[in-house]
Amino acid sequence: MTNEDIFKKLIAHCKEYGFVFQSSEIYDGLSAVYDYGQYGVELKNNIKKYWWDSMVLLHENVVGIDTAIFMHPTVWKASGHVDAFNDPLIDNKESKKRYRADVLIEELLSKFDAKADKEVEKAKKKFGENFDETLFRQTNPRVVENLKKKEEINVRFVKALNDNNLSELKQIIIDNEIVCPVSGTKNWTDVRQFNLMFSTDMGAAADGALKIHLRPETAQGIFVNFLNVQKSGRMKIPFGIAQIGKAFRNEIVARQFIFRMREFEQMEMQFFVKPGEELFWFNKWKELRMKWHQALGMGNHKYRFHDHEKLAHYANAATDIEFEMPFGFKEVEGIHSRTDFDLAQHQQYSGKKITYFDPEQSESYIPYVIETSIGVDRMFLSIMAGAYCEEDVEGKDGSKETRVVLKLPPVLAPIKLAVLPLLKKDGLPELARKVIEKLKFDFNCQYDEKDSIGKRYRRQDAIGTPFCVTIDHQSLQDNSVTIRHRDSMEQERINIEMIEKIISEKISMKELFRSII
Ligand code: ATP
């Protein structure tokens, strides 16, 4: 199965099992806008809780806020979004499809990497244990040539982006014969800038309405409240402010399901530090954030850092945490050292002094900022992509069957426990209900009595439920039940009183947190 097939299956699975639906589907949908279904919302809420608690519970110097989506229009002038929150757009004249010029070039660059990796893989197989990958990469003519070509294009690309040189971006596309994937032609328009902010009118009066933007990021709500939080919370530097909320971007190319949406949710934390200490904190948060991802147990090799070569003019370090999606390694989270740019801009535009008096140094300064910014939806996608498995298992009559199972980290799974009476009679449903009545205050339980036990297990596998408990006639006699573990499919007989303990241990966020501090 190709990665594309896997991705298609994942999208279909999200719909079939109530995780993600296209928005307004009965009206043929709205492009790049999605709704979360009954299981999707549980998973999403669990992701948000994992993030929120890891910020505000684990760090006594990080507090949370919740700011409005609508903000004063000048906020977006000060932040630079009115003038510079643009993507370079290019159209193909034949297919009439629209692309981001930078993404077309980035895709070309990754093809050179992929070609080099392919050569390495081939050689690895050929030479076995004696293979020296570093030496091979430095000396194999095909690898060297691919990487050299990539580097040449990359140097031109970075310079064009830094100089904001749109005609050079187009020239790179022409020179490298990048074609439209739909029409297959090089018939491109010029590259032009496109502002990604949505706007709307606030107020009823036709002439007095105020043009405002839907926030394209949650961070500005934090910056403009820096003084409020610092003073009311008597916060001492270094400290952080965390926020989870919706953001809106009129993305040019909105594809890849919930990877790039026009309405999405962010979890951002701005950490305010003393100037000069920012790189220490940048590295610290880099490490902490990677641990947070890896603690979920999806496989450490699925994550990597991608340090930025092109830094925004105000940043002095930036990296992305990428996850291996079915369509390659992609950014899930950005970590940026933003200097004092944001607070200084708001100080200038608002005319209000935004400084911090450092009692230890007896001096005032504008704090520097380290930002960690992660998309809830991208995180959701990475978890679903990492969890989706198709396994060959033995069916009832010994034949081969495929089981689709979501190997979600138990702590994030929407339903933790399914309680299944073996038969719909003899008092088994009543006992099953009693188990749920007892446990429903601790975690999300589901009752299911329809179809064979095998089918019920499959349904729970498909939504990622880590535990199924089966109630049978023996349960009525000796208070024992069968507990089935999702990933191993192993079953064990335990006393009913043990269910809570076994499950609580496996779904405990506390344990995860212990492993990341
Ligand atoms: P990209 O380069 O993919 O457009 P970005 O660098 O513009 O992303 P940031 O502005 O750093 O993204 O936003 C922080 C995080 O918000 C991203 O790492 C991502 O997880 C999430 N995010 C940004 N844009 C979108 C979107 N259109 N849909 C879903 N999530 C998004």
Side-chain angles (χ1 to χ4, degrees):
M1 224 181 342
T2 64
N3 282 347
E4 205 175 312
D5 291 335
I6 294 173
F7 191 39
K8 277 192 192 144
K9 283 194 170 192
L10 179 65
I11 296 171
H13 191 88
C14 281
K15 181 178 172 195
E16 190 182 343
Y17 286 94
F19 282 86
V20 183
F21 307 125
Q22 175 77 58
S23 157
S24 325
E25 196 187 351
I26 58 168
Y27 293 99
D28 294 334
L30 185 64
S31 168
V33 187
Y34 291 89
D35 299 334
Y36 285 85
Q38 65 277 25
Y39 297 124
V41 70
E42 296 289 344
L43 172 55
K44 202 175 175 211
N45 284 342
N46 291 341
I47 291 173
K48 289 195 271 185
K49 183 167 171 48
Y50 179 45
W51 184 87
W52 185 265
D53 286 357
S54 76
M55 286 293 169
V56 304
L57 290 189
L58 297 198
H59 303 277
E60 58 182 274
N61 59 350
V62 177
V63 293
I65 56 170
D66 183 22
T67 70
I69 287 171
F70 295 152
M71 300 183 77
H72 193 284
T74 311
V75 166
W76 306 110
K77 288 207 182 91
S79 68
H81 284 81
V82 170
D83 293 327
F85 194 51
N86 302 318
D87 275 341
L89 169 156
I90 190 165
D91 293 296
N92 184 267
K93 290 184 197 161
E94 314 278 332
S95 67
K96 308 268 181 280
K97 291 275 175 213
R98 185 159 278 187
Y99 299 92
R100 266 173 64 177
D102 56 333
V103 172
L104 287 177
I105 299 169
E106 274 166 7
E107 282 171 359
L108 173 77
L109 293 173
S110 61
K111 278 187 190 147
F112 288 107
D113 277 332
K115 276 188 197 160
D117 289 346
K118 219 169 161 185
E119 293 293 337
V120 171
E121 280 311 310
K122 262 199 313 198
K124 231 186 225 167
K125 275 198 194 124
K126 195 167 152 195
F127 297 113
E129 290 208 336
N130 299 328
F131 182 60
D132 181 340
E133 183 172 334
T134 318
L135 187 68
F136 184 80
R137 282 187 182 274
Q138 286 163 355
T139 52
N140 178 274
R142 275 192 297 270
V143 173
V144 171
E145 197 198 328
N146 268 309
L147 295 181
K148 187 169 156 241
K149 189 93 209 321
K150 179 195 157 191
E151 195 42 38
E152 280 165 14
I153 301 170
N154 197 34
V155 169
R156 261 181 93 182
F157 176 48
V158 171
K159 182 163 178 0
L161 287 178
N162 280 332
D163 299 348
N164 211 1
N165 186 342
L166 300 183
S167 53
E168 171 67 354
L169 280 180
K170 178 172 179 183
Q171 202 53 47
I172 297 174
I173 290 175
I174 302 287
D175 292 350
N176 289 287
E177 305 191 331
I178 298 178
V179 296
C180 163
V182 176
S183 70
T185 71
K186 292 175 271 180
N187 198 355
W188 296 110
T189 62
D190 286 341
V191 177
R192 56 194 190 283
Q193 293 290 23
F194 177 79
N195 192 288
L196 300 183
M197 280 196 295
F198 284 101
S199 54
T200 188
D201 296 321
M202 181 180 258
D207 51 350
L210 191 62
K211 192 152 226 61
I212 55 168
H213 297 290
L214 272 68
R215 67 178 177 199
E217 62 175 31
T218 57
Q220 298 305 321
I222 293 179
F223 292 128
V224 300
N225 277 294
F226 167 76
L227 284 181
N228 284 337
V229 175
Q230 191 271 316
K231 294 213 160 94
S232 61
R234 291 178 296 120
M235 306 300 292
K236 286 207 170 55
I237 285 214
F239 74 91
I241 306 178
Q243 161 153 246
I244 300 179
K246 287 268 179 151
F248 304 83
R249 295 182 188 179
N250 197 3
E251 297 280 0
I252 299 172
V253 187
R255 43 189 167 94
Q256 291 165 329
F257 193 39
I258 54 172
F259 181 79
R260 193 172 296 288
M261 301 156 90
R262 296 201 163 103
E263 172 180 340
F264 58 101
E265 211 164 350
Q266 289 185 313
M267 307 187 280
E268 298 199 289
M269 195 278 303
Q270 319 290 325
F271 198 71
F272 300 94
V273 305
K274 191 175 165 204
E277 294 184 353
E278 70 276 12
L279 292 182
F280 167 81
W281 288 109
F282 173 76
N283 286 318
K284 182 93 191 143
W285 279 105
K286 234 179 116 167
E287 185 196 325
L288 283 173
R289 295 303 304 146
M290 186 56 107
K291 273 193 185 167
W292 182 88
H293 285 278
Q294 292 182 339
L296 289 171
M298 311 292 294
N300 291 3
H301 61 285
K302 295 203 165 169
Y303 301 89
R304 70 178 188 196
F305 286 116
H306 170 236
D307 294 330
H308 287 207
E309 288 174 36
K310 182 203 170 217
L311 289 176
H313 63 93
Y314 49 81
N316 61 8
T319 194
D320 295 335
I321 294 180
E322 296 185 335
F323 182 83
E324 192 176 17
M325 302 278 188
F327 40 92
F329 272 94
K330 295 286 166 196
E331 170 183 343
V332 173
E333 170 158 7
I335 302 166
H336 304 128
S337 172
R338 301 176 61 95
T339 66
D340 63 356
F341 174 76
D342 306 275
L343 292 182
Q345 286 289 102
H346 286 304
Q347 173 166 283
Q348 188 192 331
Y349 276 78
S350 67
K352 312 260 162 39
K353 202 167 156 209
I354 308 184
T355 52
Y356 170 78
F357 178 74
D358 190 329
E360 275 157 34
Q361 312 282 319
S362 288
E363 57 167 352
S364 290
Y365 53 78
I366 299 178
Y368 273 34
V369 171
I370 306 301
E371 165 182 274
T372 72
S373 172
I374 168 170
V376 179
D377 314 87
R378 274 194 202 176
M379 180 67 193
F380 183 108
L381 181 59
S382 71
I383 294 294
M384 287 295 278
Y388 183 87
C389 286
E390 290 185 11
E391 287 179 352
D392 286 335
V393 289
E394 209 168 286
K396 237 184 93 217
D397 49 5
S399 61
K400 264 201 176 163
E401 274 183 15
T402 305
R403 116 170 148 131
V404 175
V405 51
L406 282 185
K407 294 191 173 173
L408 294 171
V411 71
L412 300 183
I415 306 289
K416 310 296 190 202
L417 167 70
V419 184
L420 318 171
L422 191 61
L423 298 175
K424 264 192 264 181
K425 56 182 186 182
D426 301 339
L428 303 184
E430 287 75 9
L431 182 55
R433 293 274 184 209
K434 242 165 99 182
V435 172
I436 291 188
E437 279 308 308
K438 186 163 172 255
L439 296 178
K440 72 178 183 190
F441 303 102
D442 298 300
F443 36 76
N444 223 333
C445 305
Q446 193 170 79
Y447 175 83
D448 190 3
E449 60 175 24
K450 199 166 173 294
D451 298 321
S452 69
I453 276 288
K455 274 196 185 151
R456 283 182 261 170
Y457 282 157
R458 292 287 177 275
R459 274 202 292 271
Q460 296 300 330
D461 287 345
I463 60 168
T465 307
F467 300 99
C468 292
V469 156
T470 307
I471 309 283
D472 56 19
H473 290 96
Q474 195 184 326
S475 314
L476 298 175
Q477 288 161 13
D478 65 5
N479 237 13
S480 72
V481 294
T482 309
I483 188 164
R484 175 202 185 249
H485 300 261
R486 178 195 66 199
D487 297 350
S488 64
M489 294 193 288
E490 265 166 29
Q491 302 186 15
E492 48 177 330
R493 195 94 204 165
I494 56 163
N495 188 284
I496 253 178
E497 302 300 328
M498 291 297 292
I499 304 175
E500 186 187 339
K501 184 168 180 288
I502 292 178
I503 299 180
S504 298
E505 272 170 14
K506 283 279 173 353
I507 61 165
S508 151
M509 260 189 208
K510 231 196 253 174
E511 290 309 312
L512 275 193
F513 288 149
R514 285 211 176 98
S515 71
I516 62 176
I517 46 171

